[in-house]
Amino acid sequence: MAKWLLKSEPDCYGWSHLLAEGEGMWDCVRNHQAANNLKAMAVGDEVLFYHSGPGAAAVGLVTVSASAFPDPTDDSGKWMAVKVKPLRALPRPVTLKAMRDHPDLADMAIIRQSRLSVAPVSDTEWAAILAMAGA
């Protein structure tokens, strides 16, 4: 089972939006590397839900509930989307600053490629973030 990070502006589609829906569609991804990461996701993969912008932090855990399918917001038919369901909020958000300061996270995609909205997370990175969150 792979692990991932999905990044979204909280005012556009935040943790509270996903909780209200119960299952959300991760669509409108128009970056080739992020799109390839979406295509690699499988049902049951675990995902960090990350709020970007002011207050940037990992705030919750979700699971992939539907693997890649054609993005209904894309008229060209070349982009994909996935569906995710919330698992639980992190006890403490893990800020981007805290991630940058943690030695086990130096190579994490969100640190190296800050604009990447869909990124893999290694088992070591996952464990470090959950420990920082008190989960």
Side-chain angles (χ1 to χ4, degrees), residues 38-102:
L38 279 180
K39 289 177 191 174
M41 290 179 164
V43 172
D45 284 356
E46 293 179 309
V47 182
L48 287 165
F49 193 107
Y50 180 90
H51 282 165
S52 60
V59 297
L61 299 176
V62 303
T63 187
V64 176
S65 56
S67 58
F69 57 90
D71 184 338
T73 69
D74 171 34
D75 292 335
S76 75
K78 75 176 196 176
W79 301 103
M80 305 301 277
V82 299
K83 288 191 176 182
V84 295
K85 288 185 176 180
L87 293 174
R88 65 186 183 278
L90 293 175
R92 288 186 307 271
V94 179
T95 66
L96 179 58
K97 181 184 179 336
M99 289 180 198
R100 284 187 177 134
D101 291 344
H102 196 290

